[in-house]
Amino acid sequence: MKNLLKLMLTSVLAVLLLAACGGNAADDKPKENETNTENAANEETEFPVTLTDAVGNEVTIEEAPTKVVSMIPSNTEILFGLDLANEVVGVSDYDDYPAEAAEKEKIGAMEFNVEAIIALDPDIVFGHESAYGMSEEGYQQIRDAGISVFVVKNALNFEETYETIETIGKATGKTKEASEIINEMQAKVDEVIAKVKDVKAKKTVFVETSPAPEIYTPGANTFTQELLGLVGAENVAADQEGWVQMDPEEIIKRNPDVIVVMYDYIDTAVEDVYARDGFDTITAIKEKAVVQVDENITSRQGPRLAEGLEAFAKAIYPEAFGE
């Protein structure tokens, strides 16, 4: 039942992400880092500060918050990265990184517990655009209780992830720490791109985010598409929009060089892919190139996303990393 709920949540969040984003497709070419973190590092937040959130609300924060609630794992990872472990008093049921986050008071998931959040008496609640449409009434109840709510934007790419980290840094008085995180991420991204740029034989990739019988894969306008583009790989589902279900026959037809499995709630996930009827004709199966990658570091829009890029690159081009 727990695995089923996790799968349902992943699918729903994917649909919500597509609906909320509506932006341009991620560029398949490596991008230069644009966030001006050097200036940000030299600008300490002066409170009160007013910031506009993802749903257009102007949120005024009178002073650096001492009690914070996070509604989604990516926000939590950013907050902990900003050295706000002591200030975080509540997190969602799915927050599991760092380990200390799992010990915080749980406030629910997509159906969060408004009363529990209000009882924690936080200075600010960091929500997320991906689930806002289904929870708008609950968010308003929190506001009506006199608690500030800041809805964090769905990041479509690395640049928007950097902006998210910078914004949360401003909201919490941690601009210096935010700049340090961004600089480290940019350095890792540049390192990964440098290692794969000379790969001569570009590979085609199928990314599987849920198992048979309902196999889902990310196409255009997804973070996964940008990750693949940055490492110089071709997404065989790039002609599709968002997260789509794909029949096994179609996967066989598209014949990927590599299959990346992005779920871990089935212990035999990789073995199951190898055992599918008809898949023995796929290059990835013949070459033993079915690789499992940690979904959390490749989908959470936070500090570990650069590690996710490296994990993708190693799965597709292990030779570029001496593996």
Side-chain angles (χ1 to χ4, degrees), residues 205-222:
V205 182
F206 177 78
V207 179
E208 182 168 302
T209 60
S210 65
E214 295 183 354
I215 303 172
Y216 275 82
T217 189
N221 271 334
T222 63

PDB file of all heavy atoms in Angstrom, residues 205-222:
ATOM      1  N   VAL A 205      18.360   7.492 -24.877  1.00  0.00           N
ATOM      2  CA  VAL A 205      18.010   7.061 -23.523  1.00  0.00           C
ATOM      3  C   VAL A 205      16.498   7.023 -23.345  1.00  0.00           C
ATOM      4  O   VAL A 205      15.782   7.925 -23.793  1.00  0.00           O
ATOM      5  CB  VAL A 205      18.619   8.019 -22.476  1.00  0.00           C
ATOM      6  CG1 VAL A 205      18.291   7.547 -21.062  1.00  0.00           C
ATOM      7  CG2 VAL A 205      20.127   8.134 -22.662  1.00  0.00           C
ATOM      8  N   PHE A 206      16.029   5.974 -22.683  1.00  0.00           N
ATOM      9  CA  PHE A 206      14.641   5.922 -22.226  1.00  0.00           C
ATOM     10  C   PHE A 206      14.662   5.980 -20.708  1.00  0.00           C
ATOM     11  O   PHE A 206      15.336   5.181 -20.055  1.00  0.00           O
ATOM     12  CB  PHE A 206      13.939   4.635 -22.679  1.00  0.00           C
ATOM     13  CG  PHE A 206      12.529   4.511 -22.179  1.00  0.00           C
ATOM     14  CD1 PHE A 206      11.506   5.224 -22.781  1.00  0.00           C
ATOM     15  CD2 PHE A 206      12.224   3.709 -21.091  1.00  0.00           C
ATOM     16  CE1 PHE A 206      10.198   5.135 -22.312  1.00  0.00           C
ATOM     17  CE2 PHE A 206      10.927   3.601 -20.618  1.00  0.00           C
ATOM     18  CZ  PHE A 206       9.907   4.320 -21.234  1.00  0.00           C
ATOM     19  N   VAL A 207      13.940   6.940 -20.140  1.00  0.00           N
ATOM     20  CA  VAL A 207      13.872   7.102 -18.694  1.00  0.00           C
ATOM     21  C   VAL A 207      12.526   6.585 -18.207  1.00  0.00           C
ATOM     22  O   VAL A 207      11.480   7.059 -18.646  1.00  0.00           O
ATOM     23  CB  VAL A 207      14.053   8.578 -18.288  1.00  0.00           C
ATOM     24  CG1 VAL A 207      13.955   8.723 -16.776  1.00  0.00           C
ATOM     25  CG2 VAL A 207      15.396   9.104 -18.786  1.00  0.00           C
ATOM     26  N   GLU A 208      12.560   5.634 -17.307  1.00  0.00           N
ATOM     27  CA  GLU A 208      11.335   4.998 -16.817  1.00  0.00           C
ATOM     28  C   GLU A 208      11.060   5.462 -15.389  1.00  0.00           C
ATOM     29  O   GLU A 208      11.845   5.228 -14.486  1.00  0.00           O
ATOM     30  CB  GLU A 208      11.502   3.482 -16.871  1.00  0.00           C
ATOM     31  CG  GLU A 208      10.281   2.708 -16.433  1.00  0.00           C
ATOM     32  CD  GLU A 208      10.384   1.231 -16.766  1.00  0.00           C
ATOM     33  OE1 GLU A 208      10.554   0.907 -17.965  1.00  0.00           O
ATOM     34  OE2 GLU A 208      10.299   0.408 -15.848  1.00  0.00           O
ATOM     35  N   THR A 209       9.914   6.134 -15.196  1.00  0.00           N
ATOM     36  CA  THR A 209       9.583   6.658 -13.866  1.00  0.00           C
ATOM     37  C   THR A 209       8.540   5.840 -13.130  1.00  0.00           C
ATOM     38  O   THR A 209       8.265   6.100 -11.961  1.00  0.00           O
ATOM     39  CB  THR A 209       9.088   8.112 -13.974  1.00  0.00           C
ATOM     40  OG1 THR A 209       7.920   8.161 -14.805  1.00  0.00           O
ATOM     41  CG2 THR A 209      10.164   9.022 -14.559  1.00  0.00           C
ATOM     42  N   SER A 210       7.959   4.857 -13.789  1.00  0.00           N
ATOM     43  CA  SER A 210       7.053   3.906 -13.129  1.00  0.00           C
ATOM     44  C   SER A 210       7.075   2.610 -13.917  1.00  0.00           C
ATOM     45  O   SER A 210       7.296   2.614 -15.134  1.00  0.00           O
ATOM     46  CB  SER A 210       5.629   4.463 -13.019  1.00  0.00           C
ATOM     47  OG  SER A 210       5.067   4.640 -14.301  1.00  0.00           O
ATOM     48  N   PRO A 211       6.843   1.479 -13.265  1.00  0.00           N
ATOM     49  CA  PRO A 211       7.017   0.174 -13.912  1.00  0.00           C
ATOM     50  C   PRO A 211       5.800  -0.276 -14.711  1.00  0.00           C
ATOM     51  O   PRO A 211       4.747   0.360 -14.696  1.00  0.00           O
ATOM     52  CB  PRO A 211       7.246  -0.745 -12.713  1.00  0.00           C
ATOM     53  CG  PRO A 211       6.417  -0.124 -11.625  1.00  0.00           C
ATOM     54  CD  PRO A 211       6.535   1.360 -11.824  1.00  0.00           C
ATOM     55  N   ALA A 212       5.954  -1.412 -15.385  1.00  0.00           N
ATOM     56  CA  ALA A 212       4.830  -2.040 -16.084  1.00  0.00           C
ATOM     57  C   ALA A 212       3.780  -2.449 -15.041  1.00  0.00           C
ATOM     58  O   ALA A 212       4.115  -2.733 -13.894  1.00  0.00           O
ATOM     59  CB  ALA A 212       5.323  -3.243 -16.864  1.00  0.00           C
ATOM     60  N   PRO A 213       2.504  -2.441 -15.392  1.00  0.00           N
ATOM     61  CA  PRO A 213       1.989  -2.306 -16.757  1.00  0.00           C
ATOM     62  C   PRO A 213       1.798  -0.858 -17.228  1.00  0.00           C
ATOM     63  O   PRO A 213       1.527  -0.635 -18.396  1.00  0.00           O
ATOM     64  CB  PRO A 213       0.637  -3.019 -16.679  1.00  0.00           C
ATOM     65  CG  PRO A 213       0.189  -2.764 -15.267  1.00  0.00           C
ATOM     66  CD  PRO A 213       1.432  -2.825 -14.435  1.00  0.00           C
ATOM     67  N   GLU A 214       1.906   0.112 -16.327  1.00  0.00           N
ATOM     68  CA  GLU A 214       1.746   1.507 -16.730  1.00  0.00           C
ATOM     69  C   GLU A 214       3.100   2.199 -16.656  1.00  0.00           C
ATOM     70  O   GLU A 214       3.464   2.799 -15.653  1.00  0.00           O
ATOM     71  CB  GLU A 214       0.712   2.206 -15.853  1.00  0.00           C
ATOM     72  CG  GLU A 214      -0.686   1.641 -16.001  1.00  0.00           C
ATOM     73  CD  GLU A 214      -1.710   2.399 -15.169  1.00  0.00           C
ATOM     74  OE1 GLU A 214      -1.309   3.290 -14.393  1.00  0.00           O
ATOM     75  OE2 GLU A 214      -2.907   2.088 -15.294  1.00  0.00           O
ATOM     76  N   ILE A 215       3.842   2.112 -17.749  1.00  0.00           N
ATOM     77  CA  ILE A 215       5.189   2.664 -17.810  1.00  0.00           C
ATOM     78  C   ILE A 215       5.104   4.134 -18.209  1.00  0.00           C
ATOM     79  O   ILE A 215       4.588   4.470 -19.276  1.00  0.00           O
ATOM     80  CB  ILE A 215       6.052   1.894 -18.825  1.00  0.00           C
ATOM     81  CG1 ILE A 215       6.093   0.406 -18.468  1.00  0.00           C
ATOM     82  CG2 ILE A 215       7.455   2.485 -18.883  1.00  0.00           C
ATOM     83  CD1 ILE A 215       6.764  -0.460 -19.522  1.00  0.00           C
ATOM     84  N   TYR A 216       5.609   5.001 -17.332  1.00  0.00           N
ATOM     85  CA  TYR A 216       5.621   6.434 -17.626  1.00  0.00           C
ATOM     86  C   TYR A 216       7.048   6.909 -17.868  1.00  0.00           C
ATOM     87  O   TYR A 216       8.007   6.374 -17.291  1.00  0.00           O
ATOM     88  CB  TYR A 216       5.001   7.231 -16.476  1.00  0.00           C
ATOM     89  CG  TYR A 216       3.502   7.322 -16.569  1.00  0.00           C
ATOM     90  CD1 TYR A 216       2.694   6.288 -16.111  1.00  0.00           C
ATOM     91  CD2 TYR A 216       2.882   8.437 -17.149  1.00  0.00           C
ATOM     92  CE1 TYR A 216       1.312   6.360 -16.213  1.00  0.00           C
ATOM     93  CE2 TYR A 216       1.496   8.519 -17.254  1.00  0.00           C
ATOM     94  CZ  TYR A 216       0.715   7.475 -16.776  1.00  0.00           C
ATOM     95  OH  TYR A 216      -0.658   7.546 -16.885  1.00  0.00           O
ATOM     96  N   THR A 217       7.160   7.923 -18.727  1.00  0.00           N
ATOM     97  CA  THR A 217       8.466   8.472 -19.073  1.00  0.00           C
ATOM     98  C   THR A 217       8.353   9.976 -19.271  1.00  0.00           C
ATOM     99  O   THR A 217       7.298  10.478 -19.671  1.00  0.00           O
ATOM    100  CB  THR A 217       9.012   7.805 -20.351  1.00  0.00           C
ATOM    101  OG1 THR A 217      10.375   8.198 -20.558  1.00  0.00           O
ATOM    102  CG2 THR A 217       8.194   8.211 -21.572  1.00  0.00           C
ATOM    103  N   PRO A 218       9.395  10.734 -18.967  1.00  0.00           N
ATOM    104  CA  PRO A 218       9.363  12.177 -19.179  1.00  0.00           C
ATOM    105  C   PRO A 218       9.783  12.553 -20.590  1.00  0.00           C
ATOM    106  O   PRO A 218      10.751  12.012 -21.135  1.00  0.00           O
ATOM    107  CB  PRO A 218      10.375  12.705 -18.145  1.00  0.00           C
ATOM    108  CG  PRO A 218      11.349  11.583 -18.003  1.00  0.00           C
ATOM    109  CD  PRO A 218      10.574  10.311 -18.208  1.00  0.00           C
ATOM    110  N   GLY A 219       9.025  13.499 -21.173  1.00  0.00           N
ATOM    111  CA  GLY A 219       9.360  14.007 -22.490  1.00  0.00           C
ATOM    112  C   GLY A 219       9.824  15.441 -22.404  1.00  0.00           C
ATOM    113  O   GLY A 219      10.552  15.824 -21.485  1.00  0.00           O
ATOM    114  N   ALA A 220       9.382  16.263 -23.357  1.00  0.00           N
ATOM    115  CA  ALA A 220       9.749  17.677 -23.368  1.00  0.00           C
ATOM    116  C   ALA A 220       9.096  18.408 -22.201  1.00  0.00           C
ATOM    117  O   ALA A 220       8.117  17.952 -21.626  1.00  0.00           O
ATOM    118  CB  ALA A 220       9.319  18.314 -24.691  1.00  0.00           C
ATOM    119  N   ASN A 221       9.677  19.570 -21.855  1.00  0.00           N
ATOM    120  CA  ASN A 221       9.155  20.397 -20.756  1.00  0.00           C
ATOM    121  C   ASN A 221       9.217  19.669 -19.408  1.00  0.00           C
ATOM    122  O   ASN A 221       8.310  19.796 -18.588  1.00  0.00           O
ATOM    123  CB  ASN A 221       7.727  20.865 -21.029  1.00  0.00           C
ATOM    124  CG  ASN A 221       7.705  22.187 -21.779  1.00  0.00           C
ATOM    125  OD1 ASN A 221       8.633  22.980 -21.687  1.00  0.00           O
ATOM    126  ND2 ASN A 221       6.648  22.409 -22.530  1.00  0.00           N
ATOM    127  N   THR A 222      10.269  18.917 -19.196  1.00  0.00           N
ATOM    128  CA  THR A 222      10.503  18.275 -17.905  1.00  0.00           C
ATOM    129  C   THR A 222      11.947  18.522 -17.498  1.00  0.00           C
ATOM    130  O   THR A 222      12.815  18.793 -18.342  1.00  0.00           O
ATOM    131  CB  THR A 222      10.269  16.756 -17.971  1.00  0.00           C
ATOM    132  OG1 THR A 222      11.222  16.169 -18.875  1.00  0.00           O
ATOM    133  CG2 THR A 222       8.851  16.429 -18.420  1.00  0.00           C
TER     134      THR A 222
END
